Amino acid sequence: MVEQQISNLYTRVRFPSPAHLVIMKTTNLEKHTTQNPVGRFFLNNFKQVLLTQVKELHPHAILDVGAGEGFTLEMFRKNNVGEKLEGIEYMDDALKLAKKLHPKVKIKKGNIYELPYSANSFDLVICNEVLEHLDDPQKALSELKRVAKKYLILSVPNEPLFTIQRILRGKNVWKLGSHPEHIQHWSSGAFEKFIAKNLTVKDVKTPLPWTMITSKK
């Protein structure tokens, strides 16, 4: 069903640029809709680990920062996880796709450095594959911590495993698998140390090729 919606979007939803029409598409959308069997295996495993971690926390209100097109929030909604589900997303294209693909989830435009919520607004704050894109992940983490009431689940690529699997999958081979949008590069241990300076680490999972940390204020 989602795949057909995406196919229809590629056909219908176009935005003018100075020289030509471009199809609305995001790297996160490509990740969630890849037909590569290895990529799908990695992603499905990650989603299952995340869902299990969230269920164990029994959160009432969940905020997904960097919610993209709403795939994670939709997974929570379909599995009856949480009663209040909200998302923040900075990219306009992702927001437009979210409204088309997942109209039942609430996602609004926002900046991770200045979240539009008061302190302790959500039992659980999730931020998956965002911090590695930021110039100032410490500032972002402080803001995520501010709006969280109890828990945070944070995930980033586990280096160098993330880059190695990209090479094996033929991604950006001419640049040794380096992801062009990643600014920060953490091993699992380095990311845990970064989080531990700010929060109490509750659990660490390593669903290949990511590191996922559940932490507590």
Side-chain angles (χ1 to χ4, degrees), residues 196-212:
K197 292 178 181 178
N198 302 269
L199 299 157
T200 300
V201 173
K202 188 174 183 291
D203 197 3
V204 179
K205 300 293 185 184
T206 53
L208 191 68
W210 295 281
T211 300
M212 182 189 301

Side-chain angles (χ1 to χ4, degrees), residues 43-67:
L43 180 62
N44 289 336
N45 182 54
F46 176 90
K47 290 165 67 176
Q48 188 56 54
V49 172
L50 175 62
L51 185 61
T52 299
Q53 291 292 97
V54 173
K55 283 182 176 180
E56 291 177 355
L57 300 177
H58 306 289
H60 169 79
I62 302 174
L63 175 66
D64 184 5
V65 180

